[in-house]
Amino acid sequence: MAAPAMQQPSFLLANLKMDSTTKPFLQCCQELVKVIDDYPSKELHLIFPWLVESVFGSLDGVIMGWNLRFLQACSNEYNIVMDFLNPSGPMMKLVYKLQAEEYKYEIPVSFLPGPVKVSIQEGVLPDCPLLNNKLHFPLSGLQTLSLALNPFEYYMFMFASSLITPKNYPLGQHVSSLDSAYFVLVDTYLKYFLPTEGSVPPSPFTYKRGSVSPPVSRAPSVPFAGYGIHSTSLLKRHISHQPSVTADPAAQEIWRSEALLQVFVEMWLHHYSLEMYQKLQSPQVKLVLLQYRLSMSSMLCQPLTPPGSGTLDTYQEPFTPTEEHVLVVRLLVKHLHAFSCSLKPEQVSSSAHSHTSPLEELKRVVVQRFVQQKLYVFLQHCFGHWPLDASFRVVLETWLSYIQPWRYTGEKTNPQTDQNKGVPEKWSLFVQENLLMYTKLFQGFLNRVVRTDLVNVKNALMVFRVAKVFAQPNLSEIIQKGEQLFLEPEHVLHHRQHRCFLTPGHGGSFLSARQPVVTDGVFRVKSHVYGLEGQDCQYKQMFGTELRSTVLKLIQIIDQARQTAKKISDQSVEVAANNSFMSWFGMGSPDLNYTFNGGEVDDTGACVKTHEFLERSLDYLCQIFRLNAGQLSQLMATLGSGQDDGNSKQLPDCVQGENGLILTDLGRMQVINGLRRFEIEYQGDPALQPIRSYENAILVRLFFKISSLVNERFGGHMDALCSRPDFLGQLGRHYLASPEAMADGRRRSPETRLTVERNRRPRLSLRMLASYRTLLMLLLLYLFGALFSFGPMSSTLLILTGGFAYGLLSCPVWR
């Protein structure tokens, strides 16, 4: 997809392409290592795009590459691939070798994330520092724009894109695990270029004119402008940022770290829906748009069309991240927290930036400037669009990893003692600067929980995980203090214009502009909220009255689900105790609705059942929102007063519609949480229901043919017999009518009248004789008769006589 400019025919490239299809994988890699070591950069420059595509696949998904996402450690090729792509391996050596010669490689803008692609195609430079000085303007127009990336950026771009590029993998290769080659490589690159200890190893190659130059930072005189800027500013920006020959020596230490981080963040987190795209219109951009409209309104010769007018109407990216994608994002979040927490204590307290190394300065600001905004939008998109099933766990754990940076300080702690220890006060600044990550996403989680089946142990575990995290001592107080700071009136408005948080998009490389230290907590929290939600946002307090009512409703749902789960667990234990070897003959309970739903492992490694998770969740929620035992018992009493003892045997709340019963919102909640249910039964012809495991298939089919012949030949006589009002009619209805027809008082799920009438017709059914249980009972009776010297005919006559006598006694005429 990318090719060097003015590419010349390369015999080396042709030979390598031929060898890749004819020679074994190990031999191809060995020859590539020799080529990288022996050939000059001029020749390597021509094979680099092909080699990167061969490894990671093409951007359009046609070329699958080495299939890193599904390459497991048990594969013979795993070690070969890891050695070749290692940060100190041959592939990275090729990257550095080309980096020293200032080669550029093009990436079409059409393969960028949706928001970036649409903005650039409409002449708008997005808030994306990766694009600075890299846009290549063709003569054909903006629709064929491309990025000119250096070898390192190009390599990392292709590596990051391979995670989200849809590809036609062979059948059976749709499951990846945490030990795949791709996942391990992401972890390796993060640890190498963002080390928690020591510094980034230097590049083994240098420029011809000196040291390796970092990406050129934006000039301080150029103001920030994001989505919505007029297309002419794009060209002006591009010209105003021409590379300089001299580079900041301090920036050379970490330019690869910053480039890797920018590529990962832009490619993995810059995806969201249309409503998210509209929300990202910052106050600065809205001001620029207003100025543009005013300037255009004074020009009568031109129509009033705002910049990028078609963007919001035409952009709708149908992007849904996969579980593997979210797992990699969580790996990125966890490592960035560990990287940031590895900042030396003296550097944290020191305010003299001149004595701080670039890597230490990066640790100080990496989470806030590079990740916060895009991760918030990414998680909010996932919270709103992810299916309501247990797969949401990967998104949940990513969110919980971000809001708990104190877990990644490198200190080895016991989970039990760490829970009681609480959140250190020094993390209150982080909570304030990420308030929406705690409050807004918690509200989004509540909206999901009230619509999920909490009787499911995996869903109950997710509620437990969130409740346990937010119940950590001091955390709720810190969050509430942050909300109070946001609600306080702004008393430093005249200083607002001098206080501006700079993101990487605002200031390019974080080394290009130093920002003032903001000590005002009120302004810090307000800037965070308004920066992510806009100046006109309606903030809903996490500890406010409105959300408290939602929490009380959730507590009721949790308690109802807990009772249902406890009942199912107890019944499952009883069924498991009663079922023995005789269950093979059909003696056990055939009701699959009361089978044991298992348990899940909690943080301590113990197996916990569903109702236990829900009980702990109730305790944690009471701690978070300060509900005492009296309030909780009153709430549960109010809930119990509206229910009767036979609640579980009633139908869910329904209304009568044209085509039958329709569930109400209350009925849906009752079904989801197992409070009420329809008795799902086979409602067709009982003689035609599927053959069960406790029945003999041959006998079932044999007795069905016999019964069908008898019913077809004597059906009229059976109808006449069962229609008689005397004793013989009662006896005929007892033996010939189906049991389902006699159970008129049972509440079942709705069924058609035709089905009811068909099942009520009298018929002879011999299917019970095909049951292993019946056959075993008959065998025991014959053995018992043999003990008393009864022959087969005598035993058969006694069995028929006993069966007839039992029918007489159980006949309704005697009741």
Side-chain angles (χ1 to χ4, degrees):
M1 303 313 302
M6 303 295 292
Q7 181 173 349
Q8 300 295 329
S10 173
F11 294 102
L12 175 62
L13 177 60
N15 292 334
L16 291 176
K17 287 183 178 180
M18 183 178 297
D19 292 343
S20 64
T21 59
T22 58
K23 294 184 178 180
F25 182 76
L26 176 60
Q27 186 176 354
C28 289
C29 290
Q30 292 174 345
E31 292 184 358
L32 284 173
V33 173
K34 295 179 181 179
V35 168
I36 293 172
D37 291 336
D38 300 338
Y39 279 78
S41 301
K42 184 177 180 179
E43 288 287 338
L44 297 176
H45 163 60
L46 299 176
I47 71 168
F48 183 64
W50 166 82
L51 180 57
V52 173
E53 276 195 351
S54 300
V55 175
F56 302 129
S58 58
L59 293 174
D60 57 7
V62 176
I63 302 175
M64 292 189 301
W66 288 358
N67 210 3
L68 300 179
R69 293 162 54 187
F70 301 96
L71 185 62
Q72 304 295 320
C74 57
S75 174
N76 297 329
E77 302 173 350
Y78 180 84
N79 292 330
I80 302 173
V81 170
M82 298 304 295
D83 292 339
F84 189 80
L85 301 180
N86 192 58
S88 302
M91 191 68 180
M92 197 59 66
K93 181 180 180 180
L94 171 61
V95 171
Y96 293 142
K97 201 170 183 179
L98 297 174
Q99 186 78 26
E101 300 295 334
E102 298 184 345
Y103 286 116
K104 298 292 182 181
Y105 302 90
E106 294 183 4
I107 294 287
V109 170
S110 58
F111 292 107
L112 292 176
V116 181
K117 174 181 61 180
V118 174
S119 300
I120 293 178
Q121 289 176 348
E122 298 209 2
V124 179
L125 182 62
D127 178 14
C128 180
L130 183 65
L131 306 180
N132 292 346
N133 308 309
K134 298 178 179 65
L135 284 175
H136 176 67
F137 290 83
L139 298 178
S140 56
L142 295 178
Q143 297 299 324
T144 56
L145 277 172
S146 60
L147 293 180
L149 304 179
N150 63 45
F152 184 82
E153 293 169 337
Y154 177 77
Y155 175 83
M156 289 301 171
F157 184 94
M158 297 293 290
F159 174 72
S161 299
S162 63
L163 175 65
I164 59 177
T165 301
K167 297 178 181 179
N168 297 323
Y169 289 106
L171 295 177
Q173 290 189 345
H174 295 284
V175 179
S176 179
S177 59
L178 298 181
D179 60 346
S180 66
Y182 188 88
F183 194 87
V184 175
L185 277 175
V186 172
D187 186 47
T188 303
Y189 288 155
L190 288 174
K191 291 178 179 178
Y192 186 87
F193 294 105
L194 296 169
T196 56
E197 297 180 359
S199 58
V200 183
S203 171
F205 295 91
T206 58
Y207 273 103
K208 296 178 179 179
R209 295 176 291 178
S211 59
V212 176
S213 175
V216 182
S217 61
R218 185 178 299 171
S221 60
V222 180
F224 162 76
Y227 295 108
I229 306 305
H230 189 237
S231 59
T232 56
S233 64
L234 184 65
L235 183 58
K236 291 179 181 178
R237 283 170 155 224
H238 182 74
I239 297 176
S240 63
H241 294 108
Q242 296 301 325
S244 58
V245 176
T246 60
D248 183 6
Q252 296 177 16
E253 179 183 341
I254 60 158
W255 74 266
R256 289 170 296 161
S257 305
E258 192 177 354
L260 173 136
L261 186 57
Q262 288 174 355
V263 171
F264 284 2
V265 170
E266 294 299 331
M267 297 307 299
W268 294 341
L269 300 180
H270 211 150
H271 299 270
Y272 33 78
S273 58
L274 176 61
E275 54 270 24
M276 295 296 177
Y277 180 88
Q278 294 171 323
K279 188 176 292 185
L280 280 186
Q281 305 302 310
S282 63
Q284 296 94 330
V285 173
K286 292 179 179 179
L287 178 60
V288 175
L289 280 173
L290 177 60
Q291 294 174 351
Y292 172 76
R293 292 191 181 99
L294 292 176
S295 63
M296 292 298 294
S297 62
S298 61
M299 303 173 61
L300 300 179
C301 60
Q302 298 187 11
L304 182 60
T305 304
S309 59
T311 303
L312 297 181
D313 296 330
T314 59
Y315 169 61
Q316 177 66 60
E317 185 182 19
F319 180 79
T320 301
T322 61
E323 291 187 44
E324 182 186 14
H325 182 176
V326 180
L327 284 173
V328 174
V329 171
R330 184 181 183 228
L331 177 64
L332 173 65
V333 169
K334 292 170 63 177
H335 182 80
L336 290 183
H337 274 324
F339 177 71
S340 180
C341 292
S342 65
L343 183 65
K344 300 176 182 179
E346 59 271 14
Q347 300 293 351
V348 176
S349 59
S350 175
S351 60
H353 292 276
S354 58
H355 301 291
T356 304
S357 67
L359 187 62
E360 296 297 317
E361 183 69 15
L362 179 61
K363 292 179 181 180
R364 187 195 304 273
V365 299
V366 61
V367 174
Q368 205 68 13
R369 293 207 201 172
F370 285 86
V371 180
Q372 185 202 58
Q373 182 193 49
K374 290 184 173 63
L375 181 63
Y376 171 75
V377 175
F378 178 82
L379 291 176
Q380 198 171 15
H381 174 77
C382 292
F383 273 57
H385 295 79
W386 202 276
L388 291 173
D389 55 22
S391 65
F392 184 73
R393 176 74 183 276
V394 293
V395 180
L396 185 78
E397 294 298 336
T398 304
W399 171 46
L400 297 181
S401 296
Y402 182 83
I403 64 176
Q404 298 182 91
W406 47 86
R407 291 177 52 192
Y408 307 100
T409 56
E411 303 175 0
K412 294 183 178 180
T413 57
N414 189 346
Q416 187 67 27
T417 59
D418 188 59
Q419 177 71 16
N420 300 328
K421 181 181 179 181
V423 180
E425 187 64 27
K426 67 178 182 178
W427 292 106
S428 59
L429 180 62
F430 178 87
V431 176
Q432 293 174 10
E433 293 178 345
N434 295 270
L435 185 64
L436 290 176
M437 284 285 193
Y438 294 88
T439 60
K440 186 69 178 291
L441 294 184
F442 181 80
Q443 297 169 24
F445 177 73
L446 289 183
N447 294 333
R448 292 183 58 92
V449 169
V450 296
R451 294 179 291 151
T452 55
D453 177 16
L454 297 185
V455 181
N456 185 301
V457 64
K458 295 183 181 298
N459 294 333
L461 175 59
M462 288 192 285
V463 177
F464 166 76
R465 289 282 296 120
V466 174
K468 182 178 180 181
V469 168
F470 279 85
Q472 296 178 80
N474 303 334
L475 182 56
S476 58
E477 289 79 3
I478 295 175
I479 296 175
Q480 193 168 10
K481 182 179 179 181
E483 290 191 322
Q484 293 173 354
L485 290 175
F486 175 76
L487 297 175
E488 288 185 8
E490 181 81 37
H491 59 275
V492 286
L493 288 176
H494 57 283
H495 293 301
R496 176 180 285 275
Q497 58 184 352
H498 302 294
R499 289 175 165 178
C500 177
F501 286 104
L502 298 178
T503 65
H506 293 105
S509 170
F510 74 91
L511 292 175
S512 62
R514 304 290 186 183
Q515 87 228 28
V517 179
V518 179
T519 58
D520 182 15
V522 175
F523 179 76
R524 181 190 302 111
V525 177
K526 289 181 180 289
S527 298
H528 160 68
V529 175
Y530 292 145
L532 293 182
E533 291 291 332
Q535 293 281 1
D536 54 349
C537 73
Q538 299 294 327
Y539 183 78
K540 184 188 296 185
Q541 299 181 57
M542 178 175 172
F543 296 94
T545 306
E546 183 177 357
L547 189 64
R548 189 178 182 87
S549 61
T550 306
V551 173
L552 295 179
K553 177 183 177 182
L554 174 62
I555 290 177
Q556 290 181 334
I557 295 175
I558 291 177
D559 186 69
Q560 292 170 346
R562 179 186 61 83
Q563 297 176 13
T564 304
K566 185 69 167 60
K567 184 184 303 182
I568 293 176
S569 178
D570 294 342
Q571 291 176 348
S572 299
V573 172
E574 294 177 2
V575 170
N578 294 331
N579 284 347
S580 59
F581 176 77
M582 299 300 294
S583 62
W584 185 75
F585 297 99
M587 296 291 190
S589 173
D591 191 354
L592 300 179
N593 292 315
Y594 290 100
T595 54
F596 181 56
N597 59 344
E600 284 286 330
V601 178
D602 64 356
D603 300 338
T604 61
C607 184
V608 181
K609 296 181 180 180
T610 306
H611 65 275
E612 295 174 345
F613 278 129
L614 297 176
E615 288 176 359
R616 298 181 189 180
S617 301
L618 284 175
D619 295 337
Y620 287 138
L621 287 174
C622 292
Q623 296 177 23
I624 297 170
F625 295 94
R626 301 177 182 86
L627 296 175
N628 54 43
Q631 292 174 313
L632 184 62
S633 59
Q634 182 180 1
L635 183 64
M636 297 299 104
T638 304
L639 173 65
S641 62
Q643 301 178 355
D644 53 21
D645 296 336
N647 192 23
S648 60
K649 297 183 180 180
Q650 294 182 357
L651 288 179
D653 190 65
C654 304
V655 293
Q656 186 67 39
E658 296 181 357
N659 299 322
L661 297 178
I662 301 176
L663 282 174
T664 62
D665 292 338
L666 176 60
R668 293 189 186 94
M669 187 271 291
Q670 293 170 341
V671 172
I672 287 175
N673 292 285
L675 304 177
R676 298 183 185 181
R677 61 174 182 169
F678 292 106
E679 293 189 17
I680 302 176
E681 297 177 351
Y682 179 80
Q683 297 179 354
D685 189 344
L688 298 178
Q689 58 183 315
I691 298 175
R692 308 304 174 91
S693 60
Y694 53 84
E695 294 178 324
N696 186 285
I698 298 178
L699 293 180
V700 168
R701 297 185 179 97
L702 176 62
F703 288 136
F704 174 75
K705 292 181 180 180
I706 297 175
S707 301
S708 299
L709 291 175
V710 174
N711 293 330
E712 183 180 355
R713 187 162 186 175
F714 301 100
H717 298 285
M718 294 180 185
D719 290 336
L721 175 64
C722 293
S723 61
R724 296 178 57 169
D726 54 6
F727 172 75
L728 291 179
Q730 293 281 357
L731 193 63
R733 284 190 292 272
H734 175 75
Y735 280 106
L736 299 179
S738 61
E740 288 80 3
M742 306 299 295
D744 296 330
R746 297 178 60 185
R747 300 294 303 275
R748 302 185 301 179
S749 55
E751 55 183 336
T752 63
R753 294 182 180 179
L754 181 62
T755 304
V756 174
E757 294 299 329
R758 184 176 64 249
N759 293 342
R760 285 174 179 246
R761 288 180 298 183
R763 78 195 75 183
L764 176 67
S765 178
L766 302 176
R767 181 162 179 166
M768 61 174 298
L769 298 178
S771 171
Y772 290 118
R773 178 174 56 182
T774 305
L775 295 175
L776 179 62
M777 293 177 62
L778 291 175
L779 177 61
L780 293 177
L781 289 176
Y782 278 109
L783 292 176
F784 184 76
L787 293 177
F788 292 92
S789 301
F790 286 102
M793 295 299 297
S794 302
S795 298
T796 303
L797 182 61
L798 288 175
I799 292 174
L800 292 177
T801 304
F804 184 77
Y806 175 79
L808 287 176
L809 295 176
S810 59
C811 186
V813 73
W814 302 108
R815 299 177 185 175

